[in-house]
């Protein structure tokens, strides 16, 4: 009778998580009349949607990779760089806030800063004589979006990787040094391989995080930008593609992308973690 | 040693600049509504907007409902899995982590298709049903954080002994969970609750697709129709997020201090 | 000038002076232990030799060349840590090969040296295991092999046995000593366990509050401690506070009893000194040059020896006598003659 205790959770998960997902997966292979078809999937290949997927993947990968890298550097500087303890503590607290400060307000903050009349744009122009927009910068572009996404990606990385950095024991570094290794050799052969699994995991998480992000982009670009979540959003709202079944396929495609990302992560993690219990 | 600290400091300061400048930017911008001078006009304008009040209260209420459902769902489940079904733990954990992988827009799409008026459970048939659906969606979004917080909290206490002691005194399961276990993980529950709140208050995509008058869609609407008010709203949202995180820190710290003598 | 010279080493952490004017010369191939209670600065001395801490002043010389100022990775010193500190992501063989491969040695040579090292520590078959698959004792052996693989000039061991079970501790310390002697490597071994230090060292440095209280062979340290701290830290001890009445003949008053040591005492007339005596230095019966009468308070039968606590005047004395089948221990409450030789009484002036 023990299983009875988990029934409420199971029902909830089925109803609000698993069945909706399953419904999408099945819908992606159905015609409007209910028969089986692969047309919906092949329809994803139309340039508009394929491009959206490609842009989204690039955007997520770029923001995840850069977020991981910068987050890693900052976490290392704060956790191992010999900075005062209060800096480390405030960095972690701030990261907790910033990683949750996503969505619409975040894009407002960036528009106010780096938009055409944002403070930084103006200060750079009037004080330093640097005309950002004249130099081809645009907040409403691919790299502009990456810049905005980094605001929640970097803190997330810092939050996850700092405990892992704390787990690096001082003796490992010292043992490596006394065996003749340079700092670089220690990082390459010991520290990075040990941190690799958690870095990979965070990377997968950051990828999914920005792949599904939509509010920031909508508030920033007014749902004009062609990334997958926005395409799907528009499709749900107004069926702009004149093909109700295509929505299923797009949603299914999104699940596949994040699932594959996580699969890659799991495989790589297993391979890089042979030395763990 | 001094020179060795150069790069850590340099990295830290660059990071600081990236994270602080947008905050300064939005704050400065929010004060610019009146020409030529800094003023709080944008804030006044926002705060007196009835739509702001309605949507904010709506989201606030939704957040409370989501926290209520979430606690009711997660605490007994995490407890039971730890106590009686340890074999199921990987499965349950996997399920609770799924929302990190399934984008909210996909989830909302699934809800719309699954719970439409002609389905077996037509949540979307009534306003009340839609509200329930929305708060359940919020529970799902917060599930990874809530579950992990509570599970970590449970790990720190000896639930087996507590349970046996309570049973020895003749307590029912409900009494054990809500009068013995819950008070012992209240810090974890509170952390989960504040996180849920921070997530829900600015949430956009599900509420927009379910067509509910929530704060997130209002923010987007303001963003495309007003110039300075969005920044004022962003400042306020940031303050709320900051407040939630600060409260989590405070209660965690506080409970650490009160626990040590035990 | 010895092979490894530590000269006037000083180290403070903030206002806390942790190592005070530390001096020792260690000969090539010598095994020296640093012995002392926790917090007395042993690890700090070792870390200065390794280069992890810079001394505030003083010199560290190997063959006359000062190491202070060179980095740990340039010193060619081997170190074994209390917590093993094996790299968890590398196999046993890769751990042992680490120092060789960062030095750019050829693969074939590395393989050869690794095999040799694993053979030395008796783990030839476990090269492909990961550290977590080994017991604590095995891990510490691997750590030793890893430190020795690069053929260091000096081997440092910081409480390498403290994390292990009592039994393994004894076997492994013998093994460490055997390997050290086979390779003839100059070694500094840190421990807070006096039995460990005495049993495997050529010389022992007893440290107290950052100072080297006494440096000597285990025999010396045990039998001729020069300070009260050393005498009490190493082994069990009976102490008597006495007043010197004649420094030249070594006459002292112990309560109302007068004792003549027949050797000069380095204290003025009327000065207070401590007499110390090991439990095994006295015997029951009347064969020594000094005989006291004691009342037996407690008898512990420990097998090979019998530990007797007896009251002599106001003092309690602990005596260890060998067990003999034909001589049952005295009854509690009985009066026994206790005899000792004045040579076995150590005078502690400090
Ligand atoms: N990095 C450090 N900073 C400040 N104090 C230290 C540091 N390392 C050691 N100490 C202090 O120096 C003293 C000696 O430490 P240590 O050499 O580790 O002693 P032992 O190894 O003999 O137990 C201790 O009181 C310790 O608190
Ligand atoms: Mg120590």
């Amino acid at each position: 009778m023990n299983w009875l205790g988990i029934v409420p959770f199971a029902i909830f998960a089925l109803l609000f998580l698993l069945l909706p997902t399953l419904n999408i997966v099945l819908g992606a292979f159905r015609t409007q009349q209910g028969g089986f078809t692969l047309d919906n999937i092949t329809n994803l290949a139309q340039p508009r949607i394929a491009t959206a997927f490609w842009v989204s993947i690039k955007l997520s990968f770029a923001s995840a990779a850069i977020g991981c890298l910068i987050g890693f550097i900052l976490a290392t500087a704060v956790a191992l760089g010999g900075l005062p303890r209060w800096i480390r503590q405030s960095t972690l607290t701030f990261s907790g806030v910033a990683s949750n400060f996503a969505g619409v307000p975040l894009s407002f903050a960036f528009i106010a800063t780096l938009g055409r009349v944002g403070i930084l744009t103006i200060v750079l122009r009037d004080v330093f004589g640097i005309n950002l927009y004249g130099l081809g910068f645009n907040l409403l572009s691919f790299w502009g979006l990456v810049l905005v996404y980094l605001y929640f990606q970097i803190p997330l990385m810092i939050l996850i990787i700092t405990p892992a950095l704390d787990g690096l024991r001082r003796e490992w570094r010292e043992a490596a040094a006394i065996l003749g290794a340079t700092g670089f050799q220690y990082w390459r052969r010991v520290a990075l391989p040990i941190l690799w699994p958690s870095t990979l995991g965070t990377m997968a998480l950051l990828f999914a995080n920005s792949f599904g992000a939509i509010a920031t982009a909508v508030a920033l670009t007014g749902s004009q930008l062609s990334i997958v979540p926005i395409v799907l959003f528009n499709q749900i709202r107004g069926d702009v593609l004149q093909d109700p079944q295509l929505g299923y396929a797009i949603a299914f495609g999104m699940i596949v992308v994040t699932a594959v990302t996580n699969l890659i992560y799991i495989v790589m993690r297993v391979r890089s973690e042979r030395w763990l219990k | 040693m001094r020179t060795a600290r150069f790069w850590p400091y340099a990295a830290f300061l660059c990071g600081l600049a990236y994270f602080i400048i947008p905050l300064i930017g939005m704050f400065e911008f929010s004060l610019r509504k009146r020409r030529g001078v800094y003023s709080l006009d944008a804030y006044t304008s926002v705060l007196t907007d009835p739509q702001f009040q309605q949507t904010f209260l709506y989201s606030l209420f939704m957040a409370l409902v989501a926290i209520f459902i979430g606690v009711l769902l997660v605490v007994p489940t995490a407890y039971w899995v730890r106590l009686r079904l340890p074999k199921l733990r990987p499965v349950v954990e996997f399920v609770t982590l799924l929302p990190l992988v399934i984008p909210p827009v996909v989830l909302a799409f699934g809800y719309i298709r699954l719970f439409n008026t002609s389905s077996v459970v037509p949540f979307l048939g009534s306003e009340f049903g839609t509200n329930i659906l929305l708060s359940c969606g919020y529970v799902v979004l917060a599930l990874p954080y809530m579950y992990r917080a509570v599970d970590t909290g449970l790990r720190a206490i000896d639930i087996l002994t507590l349970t046996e002691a309570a049973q020895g005194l003749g307590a029912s399961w409900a009494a054990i969970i809500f009068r013995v276990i819950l008070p012992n993980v209240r810090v974890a529950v509170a952390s989960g609750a504040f996180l849920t709140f921070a997530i829900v208050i600015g949430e956009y995509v599900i509420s927009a697709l379910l067509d509910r008058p929530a704060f997130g869609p209002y923010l987007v609407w303001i963003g495309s129709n007003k110039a300075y008010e969005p920044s004022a709203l962003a400042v306020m949202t940031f303050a709320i997020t900051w407040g939630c995180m600060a409260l989590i820190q405070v209660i965690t710290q506080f409970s650490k201090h009160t626990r040590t003598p035990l | 000038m010895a092979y490894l010279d530590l000269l006037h080493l000083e180290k403070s952490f903030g206002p806390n002076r942790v190592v005070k004017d530390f001096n020792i010369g260690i000969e090539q191939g010598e095994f020296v232990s640093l012995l002392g209670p926790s917090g007395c600065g042993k690890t700090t001395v070792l870390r200065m030799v390794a280069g992890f801490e810079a001394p505030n002043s003083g010199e560290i010389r190997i063959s006359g060349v000062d190491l202070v100022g060179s980095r740990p990775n340039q010193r060619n010193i081997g170190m074994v840590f209390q917590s093993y500190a094996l790299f968890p992501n590398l196999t046993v063989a890769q751990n042992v090969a680490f120092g060789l491969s960062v030095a750019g040695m050829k693969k074939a040579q590395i393989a050869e040296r690794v095999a040799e090292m694993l053979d030395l520590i008796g783990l030839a078959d476990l090269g492909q295991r990961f550290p977590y698959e080994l017991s604590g004792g095995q891990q510490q052996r691997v750590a030793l092999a890893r430190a020795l693989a690069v053929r260091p000039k000096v081997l440092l061991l910081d409480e390498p046995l403290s994390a292990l079970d009592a039994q393994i501790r004894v076997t492994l310390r013998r093994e460490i000593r055997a390997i050290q002697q086979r390779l003839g490597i100059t070694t500094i071994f840190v421990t807070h366990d006096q039995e460990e230090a005495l049993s495997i060292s050529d010389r022992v440095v007893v440290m107290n509050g950052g100072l080297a209280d006494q440096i000597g062979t285990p025999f010396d340290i045990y039998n001729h401690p020069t300070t009260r701290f050393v005498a009490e830290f190493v082994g069990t001890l009976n102490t008597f506070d006495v007043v010197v009445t004649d420094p030249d003949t070594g006459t002292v008053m112990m309560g109302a009893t007068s004792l003549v040591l027949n050797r000069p005492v380095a204290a003025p007339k009327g000065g207070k000194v401590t007499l110390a005596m090991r439990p095994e230095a006295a015997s029951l019966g009347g064969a020594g040059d000094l005989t006291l009468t004691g009342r037996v308070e407690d008898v512990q039968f420990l097998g090979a020896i019998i530990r007797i606590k007896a009251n002599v005047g106001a003092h309690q004395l602990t005596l260890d006598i060998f067990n003999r089948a034909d001589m049952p221990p005295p009854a509690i409450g009985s009066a026994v003659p206790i005899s000792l030789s004045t040579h076995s009484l150590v005078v502690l002036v400090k």
Side-chain angles (χ1 to χ4, degrees):
Chain A
M1 297 305 272
N2 277 342
W3 55 271
L4 266 181
I6 195 171
V7 165
F9 178 79
I11 291 177
F12 180 90
L14 267 181
L15 211 51
F16 298 106
L17 187 58
L18 302 176
L19 286 181
T21 312
L22 189 68
N23 179 266
I24 285 163
V25 175
L26 294 179
F29 296 97
R30 261 200 213 126
T31 61
Q32 236 168 322
Q33 287 68 41
F36 175 83
T37 179
L38 285 176
D39 287 354
N40 302 326
I41 306 294
T42 47
N43 276 342
L44 290 178
Q46 58 184 277
R48 215 184 122 178
I49 295 175
T51 317
F53 265 100
W54 184 227
V55 171
S56 263
I57 291 174
K58 276 195 300 187
L59 178 69
S60 310
F61 184 78
S63 80
I66 300 173
C68 268
L69 186 69
I70 297 180
F72 188 90
I73 292 172
L74 288 180
T76 312
V78 169
L80 306 176
L83 303 192
R85 226 174 139 84
W86 65 267
I87 289 193
R88 173 201 154 94
Q89 201 45 51
S90 353
T91 304
L92 286 179
T93 310
F94 182 84
S95 298
V97 178
S99 64
N100 280 299
F101 185 62
V104 189
L106 176 62
S107 54
F108 292 165
F110 269 88
I111 290 171
T113 307
L114 277 168
R116 282 181 190 277
V117 291
I119 182 172
L120 191 58
T121 316
I122 290 176
V123 168
L124 283 179
R125 190 191 62 201
D126 296 351
V127 181
F128 297 97
I130 304 168
N131 186 347
L132 277 183
Y133 280 78
L135 292 169
F137 173 82
N138 186 356
L139 189 58
L140 313 184
S141 66
F142 179 88
W143 288 109
L145 213 52
V146 170
L147 188 70
V148 178
Y149 280 13
L150 286 179
Y151 203 87
F152 56 82
Q153 301 280 54
I154 294 173
L156 202 53
M157 175 70 177
I158 292 179
L159 282 181
I160 300 177
I161 208 70
T162 303
L165 286 171
D166 290 340
L168 289 177
R169 303 213 335 247
R170 185 178 77 169
E171 287 92 340
W172 291 335
R173 178 197 284 272
E174 291 177 348
I178 203 76
L179 287 165
T182 60
F184 177 77
Q185 283 169 324
Y186 159 73
W187 275 97
R188 208 187 78 61
R189 290 164 184 250
V190 181
L192 287 180
I194 289 172
L195 295 171
W196 191 228
S198 23
T199 308
L200 274 178
T202 318
M203 177 109 175
L205 186 67
L206 297 194
F207 183 93
N209 201 18
S210 66
F211 191 74
I214 172 166
T216 317
V218 168
L220 208 57
T221 67
S223 76
Q224 292 312 301
L225 194 76
S226 188
I227 56 175
V228 192
I230 292 189
V231 169
L232 177 60
F233 185 82
N234 292 340
Q235 163 74 4
I236 300 168
R237 274 213 151 160
D239 193 14
V240 287
L241 300 167
Q242 267 89 54
D243 180 356
Q245 294 309 109
L246 197 52
Y248 284 112
I250 298 173
F252 174 68
M254 289 184 76
I255 296 176
V256 169
V257 170
T258 51
V260 166
T261 316
N262 278 278
L263 216 62
I264 295 175
Y265 154 60
I266 290 167
V267 170
M268 287 174 76
R269 177 162 190 147
V270 167
R271 283 178 45 175
S272 68
E273 253 187 5
R274 278 170 307 141
W275 47 274
L276 272 185
K277 264 174 267 195
Chain B
M1 288 312 258
R2 237 189 235 117
T3 47
R5 304 249 167 97
F6 173 76
W7 286 111
Y9 268 110
F12 174 74
L13 290 178
C14 289
L16 194 66
Y18 171 77
F19 283 100
I20 293 297
I21 290 176
L23 299 181
I24 297 174
M26 84 181 169
F27 185 63
E28 197 266 355
F29 206 79
S30 73
L31 301 176
R32 274 205 243 165
K33 189 169 167 72
R34 197 179 301 173
R35 245 171 214 296
V37 290
Y38 284 143
S39 69
L40 294 176
D41 287 6
Y43 293 88
T44 332
S45 151
V46 163
L47 290 171
T48 52
D49 181 356
Q51 251 201 301
F52 163 79
Q53 296 163 0
Q54 279 160 20
T55 55
F56 189 79
L57 284 179
Y58 178 83
S59 281
L60 187 67
F61 184 67
M62 280 296 129
L64 293 180
V65 175
I67 290 169
F68 182 73
I69 300 178
V71 172
L72 225 54
L73 188 72
V74 166
V75 174
T77 305
Y79 164 72
W80 197 251
V81 167
R82 271 198 174 269
L83 187 68
R84 290 293 165 85
L85 299 167
K87 286 220 184 80
L88 275 186
R89 244 185 94 199
V91 181
V92 174
E93 252 170 30
F94 174 76
V95 171
T96 61
L97 288 177
L98 271 183
L100 294 179
V101 180
I102 299 172
V105 62
V106 171
L107 211 55
F109 184 46
Y111 288 174
I112 292 173
R113 293 300 152 115
L114 196 61
F115 302 123
N116 60 33
T117 37
S118 59
S119 77
V120 193
V121 266
F123 278 111
L124 294 168
S126 67
E127 197 172 309
F128 179 72
T130 313
N131 287 342
I132 294 288
L133 182 59
L134 181 61
S135 42
C136 287
Y138 288 160
V139 174
V140 170
L141 292 189
L143 194 57
Y145 309 100
M146 192 62 135
Y147 194 90
R148 284 193 57 156
V150 171
D151 199 46
T152 315
L154 285 175
R155 191 170 52 200
I157 61 174
D158 185 356
I159 54 171
L160 187 65
T161 312
L162 279 180
T163 307
E164 281 170 357
Q167 277 176 329
L169 297 170
S172 68
W173 281 117
I176 292 176
I177 289 174
F178 293 105
R179 303 197 35 199
V180 179
I181 300 300
L182 193 58
N184 272 297
V185 292
R186 59 181 187 273
V187 172
V189 169
S191 309
F194 285 121
L195 225 89
T196 309
F197 184 78
I199 293 170
V200 168
I201 208 72
E203 196 282 332
Y204 170 68
V205 69
I206 301 184
S207 48
L209 286 177
L210 296 185
D211 216 5
R212 300 310 306 148
F215 192 53
Y218 169 74
L219 284 175
V220 171
W221 179 83
I222 283 276
S224 48
N225 290 288
K226 298 273 176 76
Y228 302 102
E229 283 80 352
S231 290
L233 281 167
V235 170
M236 286 153 63
T237 318
F238 186 79
I240 292 173
T241 315
W242 186 273
C244 287
M245 295 303 135
L247 279 173
I248 292 178
Q249 294 266 327
V250 168
I251 53 173
T252 318
Q253 294 294 326
F254 182 69
S255 71
K256 261 186 209 145
H257 289 305
T258 53
R259 284 253 173 99
T260 31
L262 286 181
Chain C
M1 190 189 78
Y3 177 66
L4 169 63
D5 277 311
L6 310 187
L7 301 170
H8 307 294
L9 281 184
E10 281 280 341
K11 180 70 189 177
S12 303
F13 292 108
N16 187 6
R17 224 172 129 213
V18 169
V19 175
K20 300 164 190 162
D21 192 26
F22 191 88
N23 288 286
I24 187 175
I26 300 176
E27 297 302 333
Q28 189 146 23
E30 203 181 1
F31 191 114
V32 171
S33 289
L34 304 186
L35 172 65
S38 162
C40 70
K42 309 178 297 284
T43 298
T44 307
V45 170
L46 218 58
R47 290 173 62 79
M48 286 193 283
V49 177
F52 299 135
E53 307 282 0
N56 295 97
S57 64
E59 287 170 38
I60 299 167
R61 297 166 174 272
I62 294 184
S63 311
V65 181
D66 193 2
L67 294 182
V68 175
S70 64
R71 292 155 177 259
N73 59 3
Q74 300 162 336
R75 293 194 178 190
N76 195 14
I77 282 175
M79 182 149 178
V80 174
F81 299 81
Q82 177 176 350
S83 57
Y84 326 134
L86 293 181
F87 305 128
N89 59 317
L90 302 180
T91 61
V92 165
Q94 288 168 330
N95 263 286
V96 176
F98 187 88
L100 307 171
S101 87
V102 295
M105 196 191 246
K106 291 213 180 63
K107 281 235 165 66
Q109 269 177 294
I110 293 181
E112 200 177 307
R113 181 81 64 86
V114 168
E116 178 193 327
M117 285 297 146
L118 291 180
D119 216 35
L120 186 70
I121 56 164
L123 296 179
D125 305 334
L126 303 186
Q128 294 320 304
R129 296 246 185 121
F130 282 99
Y132 79 86
E133 296 171 297
L134 304 181
S135 71
Q138 290 173 324
Q139 289 192 47
Q140 198 55 296
R141 274 173 231 224
V142 175
L144 181 66
R146 180 178 70 176
L148 291 171
V150 292
R151 306 252 152 101
K153 292 183 189 151
V154 172
L155 178 65
L156 309 175
L157 303 118
D158 190 358
E159 310 221 9
L161 307 173
S162 302
L164 301 173
D165 297 340
Q167 232 167 16
I168 305 191
R169 213 146 59 200
V170 174
T171 26
L172 196 49
R173 84 182 180 212
R174 274 196 222 114
E175 257 176 72
I176 289 177
R177 175 61 161 162
I179 290 172
Q180 183 268 338
Q181 283 177 323
R182 175 134 38 116
L183 302 180
I185 183 165
T186 313
T187 301
I188 306 181
F189 182 98
V190 161
T191 180
H192 61 255
D193 180 336
Q194 42 115 358
E195 184 194 325
E196 210 167 274
L198 297 180
S199 62
I200 58 173
S201 315
D202 292 317
R203 277 194 296 161
V204 176
V205 181
V206 183
M207 287 185 69
N208 177 22
L211 283 168
D213 254 28
Q214 186 175 359
I215 302 179
T217 61
F219 185 84
D220 261 351
I221 295 276
Y222 188 82
N223 292 309
H224 307 293
T226 53
T227 69
R228 187 171 182 138
F229 175 81
V230 173
E232 284 182 342
F233 190 73
V234 180
T236 314
L237 198 70
N238 296 294
T239 57
F240 316 97
D241 292 324
V242 296
V243 179
V244 180
T245 50
D246 182 358
D248 298 331
T249 57
T251 311
V252 298
M253 292 297 290
M254 180 174 134
T257 326
S258 169
L259 302 179
V260 183
L261 301 177
N262 285 323
R263 57 194 146 117
V265 174
K269 187 168 187 242
K272 286 183 177 152
V273 297
T274 304
L275 291 186
M277 187 197 80
R278 296 287 179 203
E280 67 274 19
S283 52
L284 296 184
D289 45 12
L290 194 63
T291 306
L292 308 163
T293 305
R295 179 172 294 278
V296 177
E297 286 288 307
D298 184 38
V299 175
Q300 283 179 58
F301 187 72
L302 302 173
I305 61 168
I306 299 170
R307 173 158 290 190
I308 296 169
K309 292 204 157 94
N311 282 352
V312 178
H315 296 277
Q316 185 170 69
L317 225 63
T318 304
L319 314 175
D320 286 349
I321 57 171
F322 277 112
N323 171 45
R324 279 172 47 182
D326 57 352
M327 213 183 87
I332 291 177
S334 61
V336 287
I338 301 168
S339 61
L340 44 124
S341 141
T342 49
H343 293 290
S344 61
L345 283 172
V346 179
V347 180
L348 302 170
V349 179
K350 274 193 263 186

